Structure formats: structure tokens, C-alpha cells
Amino acid sequence: MHFVVCAKQIPDPETPPSAFRVNEQTNEVIPAQGIAPVLSQFDAIAAEAALRIKEAGSDVKITVVSMGKESAAAAIKQVLAMGADEGLLLDDDAFQGGDWNGTVKVLSAAIQKLGNVDAVFCGRQAADWDMGQTGVGIAETLGWQAAIIAKDVKVEGDKMVVQRVLPDGFQTVKLPLPSVVTVSNELGEPRYPKLAQIMQAAKKTVTKWSAADLGLDAGAVGASGAQLKLERLFIPQAGGNVIIIEGETPQEQAQNLVNALQADKVL
Amino acid sequence: MATAEVAFPEGKPARTRVLGAWWSTAVGLAGTGIVVAAEAERTSAGREVFWNEVPGWLAYTLMSALVGLLVYGLVRHASIWMLGKPTPGILADWPNRLRNATRFGLTQDKLRRDRYAGIMHWCILSSIVMLTFVTAQVAIDDDLQLHFLTGNYYLFYSFYGDLFGLIGLVGVGMALYRRYFDNYHRIRWDERVEDHLIIWGLGVVLLSGFFVETFRILATELEQHPDWATWSFVSAGMALFFSVFEMTEPQMLFAHYWSWITHIVIAFGWLGLIVFTKLDHLLFAPVNAFFLRTDAPGRLNAIPNIEEREVFGVGQIQDFTWKQLFELDACVRCGRCTNVCPANLAGQPLSPMHLIQDLKRHLADVGPELQRVGHAGGDVRAVSPVAMVGEVIQDETLWACRTCGACVQECPVLIEHVPTIVDMRRYLVLDEARIPATAQQALENMEMRGHPWRGTAFERTTWMEGLGDVPLFDGSQEYLYWVGCSGSLVERNLPITRSVFRLLREAGASFGVLGQEETCNGDPARRLGNEYLYQILAQQLIETFKSKGVQRVITNCPHCFNTFKNEYPQFGGHFEVLHHTEFLAQAVQQRTLIPKFPIATNTVTYHDSCYLGRLNGVYDAPREILAVLPGAQMREMQRSKSAGLCCGAGGGNMWQEELGERRVNHVRTEEATTTGATGLVSNCPFCIQMFEDGIPAIQPDEESRMRAFDVAELLEQAVLGPDAAKA
């Protein structure tokens, strides 16, 4: 079997709030000084899900695919060190500045070009914009089925058995292969690579494909292919105002609190 | 200023210890005796060696058997030790090694740390050595026909023979008392039949020796030469006692004969225990002292050529060095290590003594098979049916270690537990990737973000806010002030960084900081077993230091201090490193900082962090500062200086969930509260965090609660006034 894990490199979500700045003119995040981008945590968990199936004894090849700049090779290497077999970087200036629509087109084209892919594993959402569209978008584009927000993924015969996290419980679904699954943090922590694997990963070369390699029209992807328009990017002003509710007795304090809440039309 | 000293620095030069050792008593006594005897007029005193036709051949037969047995035992042991990896260059520092063998083998420097046991052991050892000397003289006198056991020397010889026999019996008595009547805890943790055999056996040897002497004196001296007999003051007393029974001469001869046989047989039998029991420490302890590391005790070995290896840590017994295997055989199960282990004190799953004993048993189990397979050219990695790490030694045992070095400090036979534990951690992390989740997060954070503090809301420059001009290091200043990850990214440690900064500025020091360019120096990675990550971080930082022209560094944190000072030289980084307490103590001494304001905390107790204290010998500088704080009174904790107890955070345990009955920081905080001090002062950002957490648990009442401080915070109050920190 051949699995694809989609991996995105994102600005570090643990950037201290004081170091997080945006350019309100260009609607762009200003990269924080000295803080390197990281692999989106949900994508590491997606890789973990694919690796667990491989470890359970299935004959699986895992290709990790990332659309991004040269620096995204680090994210690919990280998944290779966890145990993935091959790395593929989709890097083209034409891919930059778009929305999920362009990303889906590029990733789907790559998956088609790879050929014979049995399943695609994505994180439930990228930890920067948190849209959660890429996985289902790929399924839609390729005409495959998708199961989202999985906490457990298994392969049984020619079916993929996915346990999904719902707001009020879990749901187990069976999908035909090929399919797309998006994986949630309920699956568990991604593994820590062994040093021997890190060394092996360091020696592997990451294949690079451009828009031309994928046969994509530069005008259909990236900023020019975007369907969403970002109106305004800003850091909200957080503030607080504390009112101490007075009262002689607890009953009186409670009554005063209710009065205040009613006056503010909260109740 | 403390300097790196051989073995554990204790703030006292080693020479005085050797000179002051108890051994000088024995040597001095014998030496003086020989001189006196040679000078003085000779008397006709003397005796017939092998009197009463005792079978001298029996002694020589038994001695030959003993020598054969010892050789057999040593060869068998050595062939097992040789399963371990070689240790190139271990003999290089031989003068220091000889000094260590003398200091720890002959003068037993470590044993004194338990006074009772120290006296007991000295009595026993000096008695064995001196009585072997006494016995050897008998053989020499007879075999070489020298007949020097005559005259004054004979009398003196009789005297010290009896004296050391008596000293030996006192030692045996003390041992018996501790084992059977004192109910002493640590010697019962792994008590075996051999423990009883050794001590009773020695008692019988010494007593039977006295009986031989007693009946000889009874028969030949008591009446004939009472002036000679009195020199054998113990035996003569015993003879006097036996004289009341009015024994006939044949009875005396009979008693002497059989005492002699008993003495000889049991004595050689007892020495034979060296091959089969912990009595082997008699040989192995001084040798292990010789092979003790002679570099800084706070340094861990580097894995050389890490990128070209297939195995990184120690997951199988043959991956240890031969020295580490040798150490296992030196262990006497005294329990001193476990007795001071912070994890053990808190009921957590680590006992250094049992760890060593478990490894020793595992070596005995698989060693012979490893040898056989190795000789046959088979796959030795496939030999062991059990996993050494995971089954023989549990993962949680390895993770519970604080790398505080208390066990190593106490071990009388110089076993180095910490490097052995870290070697196995390296196996867990690098070879197996088996790590507690929280520790893994800290390691990943170091990889991704260059610091171990996941989720911090601070930047490396946050502490500078409101301090005015904070100079960046550009090579023109004398010192780099190294703030460290904790000093800049952990809320409680920020005020300490500010205090140190203001004091450096007040003292007029020429210094700068790196600000955003600081990254983790790798210490937590190394302690957690990720040597690869450590080497990457260390090499990067050494490059940064060199490119900026850093030569002298002042650190906030004793862990950074130890890493820069003791570990960076392994990678070509040679810097002069001071902990802030060292620099500040110097400044106070030179009057560039003048403590004049009374501080609000009137009684303080001081906690020695392991990495500043025990592992680097800096005990005095922080205390010198506390001593000059106006209005502060010092109250030492019972465990302090080299006997100090870890706060619980060392060895990467800052980032681990603790398993066990209690938390180490609660144990240590409790010890601090018993001093009644209102301020618990330390020098380490980890210790401070541990105490901030521990104090509310031990003292729930917020009003009367003890407070945790860094030395610099109190000094700042005294130098710049109580409101300086608020400004």
C-alpha cells in the first residue's frame, strides 16, 4: 500500500504573544525574530496514524508531501525521521499567498502524479489558520471518500476503519480505499524519532516538484487562484474591567450580581 | 574561588586529609618502635618460632591454596570484565590516580562520612594489615633464618601485635553491635549470609590468635619472664586469668596446639572469602579508586563520532566499559548511596545500591554465555534473554535519577553511578526513543525552539523591560552575562535576572548580554540522555561564543555554569566561567558592592544546589554573601554542603512527572522549614521553582510562610535598598 501524509510547516504556534506581530497594511504575519517555523502538530499526529498501520504489519510505503518554501524541507525531514519512506516538496513561487483552494489543487495534483495512492492522511486542521479544509478538499477533488477528526485508523482488508471524534461520543466508519482521513490529537502523541532514524532521514533526498512538474496553470493556484479574500488581519485588543459586587450577606451579593448582569443585559 | 579538583571538591586541600589520616597513627607507632628498638640496649628477650611443634607446613599449604584460589578468582573475574568496552587513555593521569588510590584505599577518606562506620572500619582494616605484617615477620624470621624477633624489638613486636589484635576486636564488636543490636537500617537492605560469615569469621580469627598467644605465655613466659609477658598486655592478662585453673603443661600445650590449628585454618579460610564474597572489596576498592575519574565530577562523557555509530547508549551489559563492569564487583552493599539518594528518600523507584547489584547479578547471569558466544564468533547482541534496560533495570528507575551525584559522593568504594545511569538513558532516548511524555516535550522544545520551556509567554528580552540601557555583548566587554532559558523565560526567575543585572551594573562590571541570540546550551538534553541534541546545541553555542569573542562568562544558573565550565572544553570551548554568586561575593569583598540596608528576611537557610555545590565545590561564595547581609541570621540545614540534598529538579526531572510516595522538593522544603528560617535561599532557577512549589505544600498557612530567594535578590535588597526591585 502507498500512504501519503500531508505536512505543513507553520509559524510556531508557541510564539510568545508579545513577539507575534502583523503588518496591517499588507495583512501579513510578520515572522517573529529568531523563532523558527515548525511542523503543524496535527500533521505529526497524522504521520503517527500512518506509521502505526505500517508497524502493525501492513506492507506500506509512506510518502510525506508538503507544499511550501525551501524551509519546509525541515518539516518533511521530521516526518521522515519518524519513519516515513520518501519526501516530496511542492515548491513554486506560484503556490505562494493562496488559500486552501489552491493548496488542495496542488496537493491533489501531486497525489495523482504519484499514482496508486491508497490513502491520504492529513491533520484535522493546520495549527496556523485552523480552517480544516485541505483534507476534505483533496477527497472532493479526487472523488474519494473522507473521514474527518479521527482518533484511530486501521486497515482491514480493502477497507479503512476509522474511529471519529464527535461532540457527544465516537463514531466508527468504514471507507473503501483509496480514501482521505484527517487525524485529531485524540490519537495520541506523535513518536520521538530514534537517532538512527534521524541519521537515515538526514541522508534521504527530498524530491522537489514545481507547478510545471504537476502540469498546473500558475494562474489557477496560489494568490491568483484564491477564492477567499482576507479583508483585515489584526491583533484584537484584549481588555478587562473588574467590578467588585458589594453586599452584606452572600444572598445580598448574589442579588446584586443578578441585578448587575440584568442591567448589562447578560441575563 | 573553587577550582576543579580531583574527585569531589570539598573545600579542603587533599594533602591535609592524607596527613591527618588515622593511618599515620599506625605507621608512626611501628616506625618509632623500630627506631627505638634498634637504638636501645638489647635484652635477651625472644621466643622460638613455631614453638610446641605446631605443623608449620599446614600454614604454608593453606597459604599456597589461598594464592591459587585468589589467582583463579581474579582471572575468572577479569575475563568477565574484559567483556566491556576499552577505555583508552585511562592510565594517562597516573600520579593523580595513585593519589586517589592512597586517599580512598589506604586512608579511606570516604568512610569517615559515617563516623561510627569509619572508626569501625579503620579498626578492622588496620588490624588486618598490621596482624598480617606481624604474621609475615614470624615467617621471615624463621624461613630466612634472620632471627630478628629478639631483644627490645621482640618486646615491642609483642606489644603492637596485641594492640592491633585488640583494635581489631573493638572493630568487630562495633560491627556486631551495629548489625545485631543497633537495628541499623541501611545494612539490612540487602543482607546476606556472607555478611554474618565475614564478621564472625574475623572475630574467631582474632580471638583464636589471642588464645595461641595466651597459652604460649602461660607455658613459657608468665612465670619465667613476667617482664617480657607484660608487653603482650592482652594475652598476658588472659594468661593470668587462665593461670587460676592451674593447668598442667600437657594441657597448656594441647590448648596452644589446637588454638594454633584453629587460628591458621580459619584465618586462611576467611581470606579465601575474598574470592566468593563482598570481601573482595579489600582488593577492588583501592583499584577502583585508582581508576576513578580524575576530571571534573560534573562532566558526562561525550559519545565520540556520534554520527558514525550504530549503537549510542548502553542497552546491553557488554556495551559498558570494563571499568563500569569492574565497579559492579567492588560494591559491598553498604547502602550509603541509597541512603542519600533524593529519589529514594522520597519513596521513588530508584535505589543506586540495588541498581548496581541488579547489574552485577545480570552480568553474572549472562557474562559466561557472552564469553562463549563471543569466542565462537557468534552474535553477542542476541545472547541475553532479558533486556537489561527495561527488564533488569526499569525505565522509571533510570528516569528518577537527579544526577545530583550524592551517591557517587558517598560511595566508599568509588562507584560512579551517575554516568552508568546516563549511559542507559542514552540507550532509552537515542536507540529506543522511549521517553516519558513530558521529558519528550522538553527535548522537542529544545530542538524546535532552542529552550526547554514549552508554552512560555516570555521572550528572551522580556526581563530587560524597564531596566534602561542593557548592553549587548559585542566583544569589547570583559564578561558575557549569560541569562539562560530559565532566567529569561520562567516568570519566577525573571526578577532574579533583574537583580543580578542591577548588581552587576552597580558593581561597575564590564559586561554585556546576548539577548535574542541566547539558545539552550544543551544541559537538559545531555542529562536526559539526548547526547546528539546536546552536541548540536553545544557546538552551535561554542561557535557563537567564539565569533563574538567571549572569554569570560557569568552565569545565572549552576547548570549552565557546569556545562560551560566542565563540558564545553570537550568540544573545544574554553571559557572562564563564574556563577553569579562567585562574582558577587568577589564584588562584596572588593567593596564594589556595599550591603548597607537591613533586609526584611531576618533568618535565612541556604540550599546548596548540586551543580554549584557538590559537583563544582562552590560552597563558600554564597555563604560569604549571606554572612554580610545586615539583619540576616544564617541557619544551616542538617544536610548541607557536600551532603546537601537535591531540590528534585536535577537530571531533567524539572520536566518529568514524579512517580512515588512523595515529591523530592517537598522532602527538601520540609528540611528547610525545620530550621525555622523565614527565607530559603538558593542559587539556581530550578531550585527556586521547586521551592516555590514545595513551600505552600509544607506550610499551608500563607501568613507565616517561608519564602524562597536567590542569593542575588537578598544582596540587592541590602545593597540597593528594599525598593530597588520595585523600581
Side-chain angles (χ1 to χ4, degrees), chain A residues 12-21 33-39 41 78 189-199 202-203, chain B residues 306-308 310 312 429-433 435 437 440-441 443-445 447-449 453-459 462 516 530 532-533:
Chain A
D12 191 348
E14 292 204 6
T15 304
S18 57
F20 183 78
R21 292 181 190 88
Q33 189 202 348
I35 298 176
V38 298
L39 171 67
Q41 180 71 1
Q78 196 177 331
E189 287 286 314
R191 69 196 53 204
Y192 192 73
K194 298 178 184 179
L195 182 50
Q197 291 177 308
I198 297 174
M199 301 291 185
K203 289 186 194 123
Chain B
I306 193 164
E307 299 193 347
E308 290 150 33
E310 286 173 6
F312 306 100
V429 175
L430 301 175
D431 295 280
E432 290 292 302
I435 316 169
Q440 177 176 330
Q441 285 175 1
L443 287 173
E444 285 170 344
N445 219 62
E447 278 167 45
M448 290 195 279
R449 305 181 177 100
W453 296 111
R454 192 173 177 186
T456 178
F458 299 101
E459 291 182 79
T462 308
Q516 292 285 14
N530 195 334
Y532 178 66
L533 178 58

Side-chain angles (χ1 to χ4, degrees), chain B residues 30-50:
Chain B
T32 321
I34 290 166
V35 173
V36 166
E39 295 288 317
E41 189 193 334
R42 289 184 164 250
T43 75
S44 59
R47 65 165 153 113
E48 187 193 337
V49 171
F50 293 134

Side-chain angles (χ1 to χ4, degrees), chain B residues 21 198 235 239 245 257 302 308 376 386 451 478 540 654-655 671:
Chain B
I198 289 170
S235 316
F245 299 112
Y257 188 87
E308 290 150 33
V386 292
H451 67 78
E478 185 181 3
Q540 276 173 1
M654 186 80 236
W655 300 281
E671 293 187 352

Side-chain angles (χ1 to χ4, degrees), chain B residues 536-650:
Chain B
I536 291 174
L537 292 169
Q539 278 157 1
Q540 276 173 1
L541 196 55
I542 289 170
E543 279 315 302
T544 308
F545 277 14
K546 283 183 175 170
S547 71
K548 295 206 172 276
V550 174
Q551 284 176 330
R552 312 176 87 180
V553 187
I554 298 170
T555 72
N556 252 358
C557 167
H559 295 260
C560 300
F561 170 78
N562 179 65
T563 300
F564 292 151
K565 184 174 175 176
N566 298 323
E567 299 194 328
Y568 274 20
Q570 291 171 315
F571 302 93
H574 299 273
F575 310 104
E576 195 185 313
V577 191
L578 293 176
H579 183 258
H580 70 256
T581 54
E582 290 181 295
F583 183 90
L584 296 175
Q586 235 173 17
V588 168
Q589 208 174 27
Q590 293 164 355
R591 308 290 292 162
T592 50
L593 290 178
I594 299 165
K596 44 188 180 287
F597 299 94
I599 61 165
T601 313
N602 46 23
T603 47
V604 294
T605 188
Y606 177 71
H607 166 86
D608 290 279
S609 69
C610 311
Y611 275 72
L612 191 64
R614 188 179 298 114
L615 296 173
N616 284 292
V618 183
Y619 300 116
D620 297 335
R623 287 182 170 80
E624 283 163 17
I625 297 174
L626 295 177
V628 296
L629 295 181
Q633 216 184 15
M634 177 73 168
R635 292 189 189 165
E636 287 283 2
M637 281 186 266
Q638 203 164 20
R639 293 180 210 263
S640 67
K641 299 197 175 176
S642 70
L645 178 68
C646 176
C647 68

